[in-house]
Amino acid sequence: MRTRLAIGAVLIAALAMTAAPAAGRDHYPLEHIVVVMQEDRTFDHYFGTYPGADGWPAGYSMPVDPARPELGSVRPHKLTATRTPSLPHSSAAMKRAFNEGAMDSFVVAADEFGASDGTLALGYYDSTELPFYWYLADEYVLADRWFSSVMGPSFPNHLYLFAASMRGPDGQVYSSVPAEGLDIYTIFDRLEEEGVSWKVYAQGYDPESNFRNTEARLGLTDKGAQLVWLPLVGIPRFVDDPVLNSKIVDLSEFYVDADAGTLPQFSIIAPSGLSEHPPGDLTLGHYFATDLIESLMMSPNWWSSALILTWDEWGGWADHVPPPQVDEDGYGMRVPGLIVSPYAKRGFVDSTTYDHTSPLALVEEVYGVEPIAERDRNANNLLNAFDFDQEPRSPVIPPPEYVSPDAPQEPPPDPSRVSRLYEGLLAMEGVLVLLVFGGGWLTRLLRRER
């Protein structure tokens, strides 16, 4: 992790002394919107015990199998291992867990679709394993009604982030990338037409792993997953057009652009190995995502930026809130959402209903471009997370250990004790001076006597 906590306080102080732009009401002061999409975690799984959020209800339990009450029930339980098996999370498993909105079949769904222990689905983490995320929720905005866009797995949810749909112009449904590539209109097509700058930063980007690479398309190579979390390489024009293709770059360029203050107006960061997808270690993904946020905080672009962090889909983990069914594709299960910006409301739990097209709706509102599909046209655009009347806030880098804002604070020191301590230090300093300089004088005197 490119952590710079040791010099963070100095740099933030320097940033705070620079002239921050004032928020204007005739336009939005956001000039850089960044979206990071991690993978396979539900809201209750990460923030189910976060104070003030719609987490696990008191006394909550779930039947092992609603059809067999004699099997008993399972309560949410704290996980300490940051590596776990990958739970079944296909479309069929999700619909089984959803159970027509009852949200009571996560355990039996995991069991039926191949988990070794379905009770793992009710495992959760808290600030112990996720200190950075919880601290960001304290300082910025936590969205507790952010739903995945599709009642299904990763690829269509990533496609919704890029295209606000999983359907082509003739109504064909894309559950994967076909041999001829995807025929779908994206937010980046719209931005290119309107002259709005953009980039996609991909971790471990391999330009050769596109829809024309049969082995990659069929998932037979290590880079095959790139077509899942980076749908642009499945679209012929983004592969073949040098102008469009030049804006799909390796993640290393994000750090360069952030340091130089040259981030585009809209960007998506597509993680790979550090996406928090089980069985990967979520600690590493948690550090990785926080490092991206920290890099933006240290950037000259901070004062006019918003970074949105969310997760693509449920990953088999339980959540108690039934997703609204807005159309034939979704919504899918609830996932976490964090909005970090100098204009984000501080410590705000935003209960507005969002999905993966909400960042697109924000981009369209801020930059004045038309929506690309019905879903983003109807999506809530995240504006409730911001206060553009407030002075833009200096960045607050999350510390490595989480301390709840409700925790008892150390009492201020007794002034009389401070005075006595100070006097004591002065006395000790006098003794030290005497020892250093007086000792030398005494040594010289003894030599002279000899």
Side-chain angles (χ1 to χ4, degrees):
M1 177 182 179
R2 301 170 64 247
T3 306
R4 291 163 281 189
L5 292 175
I7 61 172
V10 176
L11 291 177
I12 287 177
L15 282 170
M17 291 187 289
T18 64
R25 298 306 296 155
D26 58 339
H27 69 287
Y28 297 104
L30 298 179
E31 299 174 7
H32 313 280
I33 298 172
V34 183
V35 178
V36 182
M37 180 173 274
Q38 296 286 75
E39 295 191 292
D40 285 30
R41 307 287 174 172
T42 63
F43 186 89
D44 280 341
H45 177 57
Y46 267 12
F47 289 98
T49 59
Y50 185 83
D54 186 4
W56 298 114
Y60 182 85
S61 66
M62 181 179 295
V64 171
D65 183 346
R68 300 181 62 192
E70 70 275 10
L71 296 179
S73 61
V74 181
R75 290 186 179 275
H77 49 277
K78 175 85 160 60
L79 299 175
T80 55
T82 55
R83 286 183 181 272
T84 65
S86 180
L87 293 171
H89 52 281
S90 64
S91 296
M94 179 180 280
K95 290 176 182 176
R96 179 74 170 97
F98 175 67
N99 194 18
E100 299 183 348
M103 305 296 285
D104 61 359
S105 297
F106 287 83
V107 177
V108 69
D111 285 335
E112 288 180 357
F113 285 87
S116 59
D117 179 7
T119 65
L120 182 62
L122 268 77
Y124 68 84
Y125 296 103
D126 61 19
S127 61
T128 306
E129 293 76 29
L130 302 168
F132 294 146
Y133 289 163
W134 276 52
Y135 190 84
L136 289 168
D138 288 347
E139 286 293 330
Y140 299 100
V141 176
L142 173 65
D144 70 353
R145 280 190 61 82
W146 189 305
F147 296 93
S148 53
S149 291
V150 180
M151 187 71 75
S154 290
F155 176 72
N157 277 293
H158 283 267
L159 200 54
Y160 259 89
L161 176 63
F162 282 76
S165 177
M166 56 183 291
R167 285 170 165 72
D170 298 326
Q172 63 271 41
V173 177
Y174 291 120
S175 56
S176 61
V177 179
E180 68 277 10
L182 301 164
D183 182 9
I184 197 165
Y185 187 81
T186 75
I187 186 63
F188 298 110
D189 291 294
R190 175 74 82 222
L191 298 182
E192 189 70 19
E193 293 165 359
E194 297 292 337
V196 177
S197 60
W198 63 272
K199 278 186 180 180
V200 175
Y201 301 98
Q203 185 185 16
Y205 178 53
D206 179 5
E208 300 303 316
S209 290
N210 56 55
F211 75 98
R212 291 202 176 92
N213 183 323
T214 302
E215 290 190 347
R217 183 171 51 79
L218 296 177
L220 302 177
T221 69
D222 291 341
K223 291 293 184 179
Q226 182 169 278
L227 273 78
V228 173
W229 41 261
L230 181 53
L232 294 189
V233 297
I235 302 174
R237 62 185 172 280
F238 284 93
V239 173
D240 299 331
D241 185 322
V243 174
L244 297 178
N245 188 260
S246 69
K247 299 179 183 183
I248 307 170
V249 298
D250 188 78
L251 178 62
S252 57
E253 289 198 22
F254 171 77
Y255 297 105
V256 174
D257 291 346
D259 288 344
T262 57
L263 290 170
Q265 289 168 281
F266 181 52
S267 56
I268 291 177
I269 294 177
S272 177
L274 298 176
S275 67
E276 299 170 47
H277 190 304
D281 191 332
L282 70 83
T283 303
L284 300 180
H286 165 243
Y287 287 170
F288 164 76
T290 306
D291 186 53
L292 295 172
I293 295 169
E294 180 188 325
S295 296
L296 178 61
M297 288 177 168
M298 293 296 185
S299 169
N301 291 147
W302 163 255
W303 301 104
S304 55
S305 293
L307 186 144
I308 301 153
L309 172 63
T310 189
W311 283 255
D312 62 350
E313 44 104 347
W314 69 312
W317 303 104
D319 193 86
H320 80 278
V321 176
Q325 297 306 285
V326 296
D327 55 33
E328 57 189 319
D329 293 339
Y331 294 144
M333 301 303 185
R334 191 174 59 144
V335 295
L338 287 165
I339 298 98
V340 179
S341 169
Y343 296 100
K345 297 175 182 177
R346 185 173 187 177
F348 179 56
V349 176
D350 189 352
S351 296
T352 310
T353 298
Y354 299 127
D355 85 309
H356 298 331
T357 66
S358 292
L360 307 189
L362 178 66
V363 167
E364 291 153 1
E365 172 67 22
V366 169
Y367 300 135
V369 301
E370 287 295 312
I372 58 174
E374 282 304 305
R375 183 70 79 83
D376 59 319
R377 186 182 302 278
N378 296 323
N380 290 316
N381 58 20
L382 299 173
L383 287 180
N384 192 45
F386 299 92
D387 179 0
F388 295 121
D389 289 327
Q390 73 180 14
E391 288 295 317
R393 294 195 287 131
S394 298
V396 181
I397 291 180
E401 293 185 5
Y402 177 78
V403 178
S404 168
D406 298 325
Q409 301 297 309
E410 289 287 335
D414 178 358
S416 63
R417 291 184 61 193
V418 173
S419 260
R420 291 195 297 274
L421 177 61
Y422 181 65
E423 290 169 0
L425 289 173
L426 286 178
M428 289 177 63
E429 184 182 27
V431 172
L432 186 60
V433 169
L434 181 62
L435 287 172
V436 172
F437 294 101
W441 173 82
L442 182 60
T443 301
R444 289 194 297 274
L445 179 62
L446 290 173
R447 285 175 179 169
R448 191 176 299 133
E449 288 298 320
R450 291 196 192 98

